[in-house]
Amino acid sequence: MARLLGIENSGRVRRNQCGVTLFHKSAKLYTARHSLAVQAALILQPPLQGDRHMRYLNRIWSCVLTGSLLLLGALLSGAQDDSTALVSQDFEQNDGGWTSIGASGTVSVTHEAGDVKSGKAALQYKYALKKGEFCLALLPMPDMTLAKAKSIQFWVKTDHDTTLALVLQEKDGGRYNSAFSILKNTWQHVEVNPSDFVLDTGKDAPVDTNGKLDMDVVQGVGLIDVAQLFVQGEQVLADVFGVSEGPRTLFVDDFSASTRPIPNAATLKAGDGSIDLFVRPQVSWLATGELQLSRVMGKPLDGEGMLAKYHQSPSKIVGFSKFLPSAALAGATRLSISAASLKPAKLIVQVEEKGGGKYNTMIELPGSSGRADVSVNFADFKAAQDSHDANNRLDLDQVTQILFYDATGLLDHADADNSLWINNIKAAH
């Protein structure tokens, strides 16, 4: 898959004539075939294991779902306690039917007070980041269970800063993901509605014939730690992104699916509107590298937004990305953001097409936490050196993801802690 940066031996940063691709040539660093945005899109799609491994995992998924549905029907029906709840689990009596895919994963119920959000019990999922292995926690769903679902919500806590993805798998259909960042040892409330899920369009992902999420045929809900993807390549890759192999634990409490509607988190449609209104309790972006994302309100920006805390370094890369619905940017001509940075920052803005095309531009922020309202024209985006595009042009109707990463450390050898605020991320005709 695509390289974001390759590092050889000269100690310089190269720029492509067409766009910005970073080549810091002193540390021999290579990415693991994924761009920042692609790395988390391939849920259950190991980058190094090939089609056979992917088909094997898909068969496991199918078998576990099929074998669990009868038992789960009784568990779910017994858990419902109000008129709007389709699924309601507090884990006080049992694990609710959750299971694990992956050799190192185990699901249990914990009664440790420090690992329980409410009541006296929570779901505990132990797993490991390990090369050659992928794990996820899985809740099979009987037919039609989520047919009327307008929202899913739960609390989750992890023992590492990471990005998690909530996955919905249709019966004989597509796989849909909603990713969010989480800070370690902190209970995070998560709320999503069907519009928050984006179809997995990876080459080995199951095909969805109608291209839309059909809640009435969802047969499984999964929760996966995206950091697993970073340990599948060379060790230097994991080092660059601050990820190491080893055991991890996450906890889930008060999981429910309901007919209660919640507002959409974005207004983007046909090239116009907000990419994220930041109205969810969770940050619905994928954090890559040693970076902490959190929701914020107010100064130095106006309204709700996102704060990224990280270290600018010549040998590290940090960024955050978000998947976009199919054709969401079709017809757009420009992108605008409001941003502020504690330190001067060279921010790369990149959009990526389904077929491998990558196009970017640079925004320079002055530092001192001063707010900047910036607008860039998509016509000015240039192909990245690792772009693979048959027609060599940016087709916005093919864009499936947007990413931002701070290139200051790699370009200017900056070595400092930084805070970056961002909101009002909008596309327009």
Side-chain angles (χ1 to χ4, degrees), residues 29-227:
L29 305 175
Y30 297 88
T31 67
R33 289 99 168 149
H34 296 301
S35 68
L36 287 175
V38 170
Q39 283 160 0
L42 306 181
I43 299 301
L44 285 181
Q45 186 175 324
L48 302 179
Q49 300 302 312
D51 295 349
R52 184 175 64 177
H53 190 57
M54 182 57 207
R55 290 193 296 269
Y56 172 68
L57 284 173
N58 280 330
R59 286 198 299 271
I60 292 177
W61 178 293
S62 178
C63 291
V64 171
L65 287 170
T66 302
S68 303
L69 292 180
L70 291 177
L71 172 62
L72 188 67
L75 291 172
L76 294 180
S77 61
Q80 295 176 22
D81 55 11
D82 69 73
S83 59
T84 65
L86 305 171
V87 178
S88 180
Q89 299 178 335
D90 58 16
F91 307 108
E92 298 297 311
Q93 303 300 320
N94 52 53
D95 62 14
W98 287 81
T99 187
S100 173
I101 290 180
S104 68
T106 59
V107 169
S108 62
V109 173
T110 181
H111 296 90
E112 293 290 334
D115 296 325
V116 174
K117 176 60 179 148
S118 65
K120 297 182 178 180
L123 188 73
Q124 176 178 268
Y125 180 50
K126 290 182 174 290
Y127 58 101
L129 300 192
K130 185 178 180 182
K131 189 170 183 176
E133 181 178 323
F134 288 79
C135 298
L136 84 160
L138 174 66
L139 178 63
M141 284 288 164
D143 288 348
M144 300 296 290
T145 299
L146 298 182
K148 297 181 179 181
K150 302 297 183 183
S151 61
I152 297 173
Q153 62 178 319
F154 57 96
W155 289 88
V156 62
K157 184 178 79 166
T158 61
D159 60 355
H160 289 73
D161 293 336
T162 195
T163 295
L164 301 178
L166 190 66
V167 185
L168 299 183
Q169 174 66 55
E170 294 180 341
K171 182 179 181 180
D172 301 322
R175 182 178 300 139
Y176 290 78
N177 310 311
S178 180
F180 56 93
S181 294
I182 185 168
L183 303 180
K184 67 179 181 180
N185 300 325
T186 301
W187 279 104
Q188 175 64 58
H189 189 210
V190 177
E191 284 189 339
V192 293
N193 71 14
S195 71
D196 291 315
F197 290 85
V198 177
L199 177 64
D200 183 349
T201 57
K203 69 173 184 176
D204 295 319
V207 176
D208 192 322
T209 55
N210 65 6
K212 68 182 184 70
L213 176 57
D214 300 305
M215 296 296 289
D216 57 332
V217 295
V218 170
Q219 64 171 353
V221 178
L223 191 61
I224 186 169
D225 188 338
V226 174

Side-chain angles (χ1 to χ4, degrees), residues 304-418:
E304 295 174 298
M306 178 170 63
L307 169 63
K309 290 188 174 184
Y310 56 93
H311 188 82
Q312 295 174 330
S313 170
S315 60
K316 300 282 186 179
I317 187 166
V318 294
F320 45 91
S321 61
K322 189 174 184 65
F323 303 112
L324 303 177
S326 176
L329 285 180
T333 62
R334 65 186 186 274
L335 179 76
S336 62
I337 68 169
S338 296
S341 182
L342 179 63
K343 302 292 184 181
K346 292 181 176 177
L347 195 64
I348 305 301
V349 184
Q350 182 161 300
V351 291
E352 302 192 358
E353 298 177 350
K354 177 181 177 181
K358 299 178 178 67
Y359 297 84
N360 58 40
T361 192
M362 180 187 292
I363 295 172
E364 297 196 36
L365 301 176
S368 302
S369 303
R371 170 178 166 172
D373 297 316
V374 181
S375 180
V376 291
N377 294 320
F378 284 117
D380 295 329
F381 279 51
K382 305 301 182 184
Q385 187 165 330
D386 64 338
S387 179
H388 300 285
D389 194 350
N391 63 10
N392 293 315
R393 72 166 186 262
L394 174 56
D395 297 306
L396 288 165
D397 61 339
Q398 297 297 308
V399 169
T400 58
Q401 47 210 317
I402 183 170
L403 68 91
F404 297 82
Y405 58 95
D406 188 339
T408 315
L410 296 174
L411 292 173
D412 295 342
H413 302 284
D415 193 359
D417 291 334
N418 193 36

Side-chain angles (χ1 to χ4, degrees), residues 246-257:
R248 291 192 171 194
T249 305
L250 66 80
F251 304 90
V252 177
D253 210 351
D254 296 332
F255 181 91
S256 67

